[in-house]
Amino acid sequence: MTYEELERFGDELDGVRQRVLDDLGQADADYIRRVIKVQRAFEVLGRVGLFFPFYWPVFVAGIAFLALSKILENMEIGHNVMHGQYDWMNDPMVDGKRYEWDIVAPAQDWKHGHNYIHHTYTNIHGMDRDIGYNLLRIDDGQPWYPSHRFNLPIAFMLMLVFEWGVMYHGVELDEYLAGKMSKEEFQARKRRAFRKIRRQLFKDYLLYPALALPLVPFTSWWVPLAVLGGNVIANVIRNIWAFNVIFCGHFPADVQTFAKQDAENETRGQWYLRQLLGSANISGSRLFHVMTGNLSHQIEHHLFPDIPARRYPEVAHDVRRLVEKYGLQYNTGRLSKQLLSVARQLATLSVKPDDPYLVGNSPESKALRRAQRERQRAQ
Amino acid sequence: MLGSRAVAGLTSPHSVDHYLEQLHPMLTVSLVRARVVDVIHETARASTVVLRPNGAWAGFLPGQHVQFGVEVDGTRRVRCFSVASSQARRDGMFSVSVKAHPDGYVSQFLHRHLRPKTIVYLSQAEGEFVLPAPVPDDLLLLSGGSGITPVMSMLRTLRDTGHRGRVTFLHYARSRQDEMFADELDEIAAAMPRTRIVRVYTREPADGVEPAGRFSAGHLDNLGIEPAGTLTYVCGPAGLISTVREVYDRLGAADMLRAEYFKVPSVDVDAADATGTLTFDDSGVSAGNDGSTILRQAEAAGLTPAYGCRMGVCNTCAVKKNHGAVRHVISGEVGANTDETIKICVNVPVGDVSVAL
């Protein structure tokens, strides 16, 4: 691919984007409102169902509905609204600036790490903090530390408590410790995180169980505990789902990562290309796409993060046509295939590499990092 | 009860209204909504929209305005309109009267397409352009064109509350056909003996009627009004207001004058050069538009707005644009909605623009 071709590729993608923007209207507004309506209905059904633990089918349905509601809220509504995808509606309910989602991570800090850092510097080592979340070794450009032997079990644990991982990631303790963030900024992040945690815990694990207290005389002493348990399970189901969708978006084996110098002075075409090569799709049914917040169209989302997600399936046709025209790579596959690829990556990269420079605490690697730090300081 | 903290805890992080409005859009605790009861065509170019607000509406004072939002093609378009009806209205309804401005998307829509039963989105009534309590004995209500609406609300309220002071209602319109509320003003003139209703038609003056022409100090003499002793409310186009202000300043009566402009967005979207003034409302800073992105201009003006990618991707820099039009640097598209969210890193101002920064 020549540079001229690359810029034409970028222009054509700009054209795809503009066609969608010109066509936005009532149907898109109706769609997001319908999703919100369904989500609220599921939430109410779920919360009510949890008050019937002595009748297990209703209780189980309650957990399922609450989990579904949280999945929809986080993925098709929260994530997409906070990208500003529906700002054009000028409706405060779907305003990307004001939206706060039903998860322990505060919107503001998540938006910084995700919308800005991750979406601008996608898959660039040292810039995109989403590569392995400083916890897992998921790319062979990452240095290896002994803890990475436990890549798979750590990933499994992270899956169960994913919302807490997202929150912790947003606090950016590592950035603070590396001296890249001021103390005030870090304290503010901590405060926001604690406030959000308090509210989320209070609601799910205190207020709703407490509402079940009046039922105790008529039923049994453990009913409030069951409500609490139901909330825990619903949150964990949401965590598992979100984790799997998100890990399939950037961590399958064929996805590429980049070095800082690859991405310096990028043109629009180059930026598009990096987004394309740095993301992976999951194929599936329409319902599946809705449940993933259309992040199953991760490629289209990364090319056009601010157009309404319901447009990604139609945009994907254009993108695939362009990808074929320019002979580029389009990483997609079924959920099982992508998950397997991710798991294999995690397993493979947990092994200590032969290259001593990639072993994070080897003398060579340490010297390399020291030299890098000095170079940066000299600049 | 629905507005209590306990309920807010149950619905957190969303508001109670986000759940209630799923049942019915009018069923909200703090978001003001209203149903259109009637659309009355006042003149060929002006309409009155009668509204029944929901329980969240806290009422208004005569002279105040509301942010009026109506949804067209999935986008909520918001404009500021004065309340025109009497505060003493007992049926819980109120009205706004709107002149269809040739470039005014919302006013045109209201005039031509708005139908009864439509639900509209409102702010609470706002504005300092209101009568004092108690209302002084001598009062001059001065208006030009569609500036009549807030003072009409004052006049109607004074009528309905049996005000006995001396009120002069002086209105400038192009002709009687262009004048809103013409018949009602005649009725009020007959019903309120101490109130004088004076209409000056600038294009088609009636024979032998004084005063005539555009407003001048002579008009006040003509009507026997002593500015220093008359609390005066003026609303209308900028030209009228500045003339009135000069006259009052000259006569040492500036502190008796209360003025309100109505903003008519006039945008030359084809202007090749950067024109107009970029105003940062929250910080009270303004600068001549230099044609670069709003983010760059804000930084050049010494502000430090939040930003991220600087390429229109991450939405970190999104802010409310309060007034005016902007052009997207990539798509070239021009947006002129009031109260819309824009990304300041990829938008340049077109003419006068004010943003919430």
Side-chain angles (χ1 to χ4, degrees), chain A residues 336-357:
Chain A
S336 52
K337 176 200 154 194
Q338 301 291 56
L339 276 179
L340 206 65
S341 180
V342 171
R344 225 179 255 143
Q345 271 296 86
L346 284 167
T348 312
L349 296 171
S350 65
V351 180
K352 187 172 176 178
D354 295 334
D355 183 352
Y357 286 101

